[in-house]
Amino acid sequence: MLRYLIGGESHGPALTGIIEGFPANVGIDINEINRDLARRQHGHGRGGRMKIETDKVRFLSGLRGGKTLGSPITFLIENKDYENWSDYMDPCQVDRETKKVTAPRPGHADLAGSIKYNFDDIRNVLERSSARETATRVAIGGIIRQFLKNFGITAACHVIHIGGISSNARVPSADDLKKAELSPVRVADSAAEKQIIELIDRTREDGDSLGGVFEIVITGVPVGLGSYVQWDRKLDARLAYALQSIQGIKGVAFGRGFDCACQKGSEVQDEIYYSQEKGYYRRTNNAGGIEGGMSNGQTIVIRCAMKPIPTLYKPLQTVDIRTKQPCTATVERSDICAVPAAAVVGEAVALTVIGEELLRKLGGDSMEEVRLRWKQWQSR
């Protein structure tokens, strides 16, 4: 069983991760992981923090000479901004008053978290609830991506719309996905890209924020990951659970998603065909590659809706948790729009679930053993 834990605060010394159950003898290129971390940091609309951090992964255990050992993989990503925050975020001794936060932001974990954990300082909440922690999830996804490519499983992502401005590349080709990768807002449609950049700039001037929708496309997934036999084994359920845990995500849909509710069954179901050359195949993919909680061999297509970031430079009304008097919400350094970055996080998170399910299906302590079981499965 593959599992992982992540830790760290936004302005603490470092972010950390532990992966257990990963097979031995998997080649890992640290440069590919750092490339994914850089992808997460890019995007028009990001805040000043991205000018400080240049995320790099540092392995502490579980690798030797670029290959996994089968033992727990531990790593850290240093927070370079910590040197500016060490007086307030040192794990053992801090100035608790200077950076104290008592005005919760609407839409953030601030108020509920401070009540749940009995804090009089919201900084204890916002440091961990911050989306900064997603860097660790991108690193984990980067490790699992390199495992999955041995089986021809790959993933990409692109933005569908931001702030109501939509891309025309609604069913993206491979060229569209490559074009989106080069776009500062991860959009394959150059006309929409220009409009979105202008909208982000205007929104920044207004002190506001923007949300949007991104899509993850995973190819090469074989038939039969997940299961129908128990509710918590269904692949779409596990993917939705993982993706919904990304900060700001308010909706997850597969294939045609909510559009299916407006169509007849004959317009939605993907008819099945067979030929000697192709085997079983479909001419449509309205299900998004998952039927009955299992992968059906088609491309897995997932869309995620992200709400606007709750930190606003023209803050909303709130109540001070100390005085219980009306005030304006805390303003922390923040992004204007993080949808392009969230798409990269979503891609990594989805790949992690696929990796978990592949290992659940195949098992094996070493890469050689997993490959042997893969060949047996594919021949069947």
Side-chain angles (χ1 to χ4, degrees):
M1 290 289 292
L2 183 68
R3 62 176 182 167
Y4 65 92
L5 288 171
I6 56 176
E9 280 70 50
S10 180
H11 295 99
L15 303 170
T16 57
I18 302 173
I19 309 173
E20 185 182 44
F22 201 78
N25 300 329
V26 180
I28 299 296
D29 183 345
I30 193 171
N31 294 319
E32 289 190 24
I33 300 168
N34 289 336
R35 179 188 65 86
D36 280 336
L37 290 171
R39 291 172 67 221
R40 173 192 166 275
Q41 292 191 279
H42 294 163
H44 195 74
R46 302 303 305 276
R49 181 76 183 268
M50 296 305 103
K51 297 177 182 177
I52 298 171
E53 306 291 351
T54 305
D55 290 339
K56 305 284 185 184
V57 67
R58 176 186 165 197
F59 287 103
L60 304 178
S61 72
L63 265 72
R64 181 169 182 255
K67 284 197 171 183
T68 58
L69 300 174
S71 54
I73 299 171
T74 61
F75 66 87
L76 63 79
I77 300 169
E78 180 184 0
N79 285 328
K80 288 188 168 53
D81 203 18
Y82 174 64
E83 63 182 59
N84 301 316
W85 285 77
S86 58
D87 289 345
Y88 320 107
M89 291 301 300
D90 184 272
C92 298
Q93 191 170 3
V94 294
D95 170 3
R96 291 184 176 274
E97 295 301 318
T98 304
K99 296 286 186 179
K100 193 168 189 176
V101 177
T102 59
R105 291 163 291 180
H108 209 283
D110 295 353
L111 181 59
S114 61
I115 293 172
K116 175 179 174 64
Y117 290 102
N118 196 27
F119 292 139
D120 64 356
D121 183 358
I122 294 171
R123 180 154 304 284
N124 293 338
V125 178
L126 65 86
E127 285 290 336
R128 179 57 189 165
S129 61
S130 164
R132 173 70 185 145
E133 63 89 0
T134 60
T136 55
R137 292 200 262 178
V138 169
I140 291 168
I143 293 167
I144 293 174
R145 183 196 302 277
Q146 295 183 56
F147 166 69
L148 291 174
K149 74 179 181 181
N150 290 282
F151 308 101
I153 300 172
T154 61
C157 61
H158 70 118
V159 169
I160 296 290
H161 74 74
I162 289 176
I165 299 175
S166 298
S167 167
N168 287 326
R170 302 304 292 267
V171 183
S173 65
D175 287 342
D176 285 333
L177 292 171
K178 289 178 182 177
K179 188 175 181 181
E181 188 65 30
L182 300 174
S183 166
V185 287
R186 206 165 291 282
V187 171
D189 178 352
S190 56
E193 173 186 282
K194 183 176 184 294
Q195 294 176 49
I196 289 171
I197 289 172
E198 291 173 351
L199 176 62
I200 290 172
D201 291 342
R202 291 197 303 271
T203 304
R204 188 190 304 275
E205 292 173 3
D206 293 340
D208 218 323
S209 63
L210 293 167
V213 174
F214 61 85
E215 184 173 78
I216 304 159
V217 179
I218 310 174
T219 58
V221 179
V223 176
L225 296 192
S227 177
Y228 63 87
V229 303
Q230 197 61 264
W231 66 271
D232 59 348
R233 291 283 311 281
K234 296 188 177 188
L235 182 60
D236 45 359
R238 296 208 61 235
L239 284 164
Y241 177 33
L243 289 163
Q244 195 73 59
S245 74
I246 299 169
Q247 288 84 345
I249 300 303
K250 302 301 282 185
V252 178
F254 297 85
R256 292 181 65 177
F258 280 89
D259 291 344
C260 293
C262 305
Q263 305 294 325
K264 295 177 181 178
S266 58
E267 299 172 308
V268 168
Q269 315 309 335
D270 301 305
E271 293 183 300
I272 303 169
Y273 302 88
Y274 183 85
S275 72
Q276 290 292 336
E277 297 78 21
K278 297 180 180 179
Y280 295 108
Y281 68 96
R282 321 290 181 103
R283 292 173 180 165
T284 58
N285 188 22
N286 297 325
I290 300 176
E291 291 177 308
M294 299 167 292
S295 56
N296 65 9
Q298 292 187 284
T299 299
I300 292 179
V301 180
I302 316 167
R303 289 186 178 179
C304 299
M306 184 182 191
K307 71 176 183 180
I309 292 166
T311 299
L312 304 180
Y313 288 102
K314 287 184 179 177
L316 300 174
Q317 286 297 302
T318 188
V319 174
D320 191 297
I321 63 169
R322 177 182 46 195
T323 66
K324 307 300 187 291
Q325 296 300 308
C327 65
T328 55
T330 296
V331 178
E332 292 281 317
R333 181 176 52 203
S334 182
D335 303 327
I336 302 304
C337 177
V339 177
V344 175
V345 177
E347 179 186 307
V349 166
L351 278 174
T352 300
V353 173
I354 298 299
E356 291 171 337
E357 287 300 315
L358 188 67
L359 282 171
R360 186 195 296 269
K361 174 69 176 175
L362 298 177
D365 295 314
S366 69
M367 189 63 196
E368 295 77 11
E369 190 175 6
V370 178
R371 275 203 183 102
L372 178 60
R373 295 180 180 185
W374 169 266
K375 288 179 181 177
Q376 292 171 338
W377 184 25
Q378 290 302 293
S379 66
R380 182 169 66 83

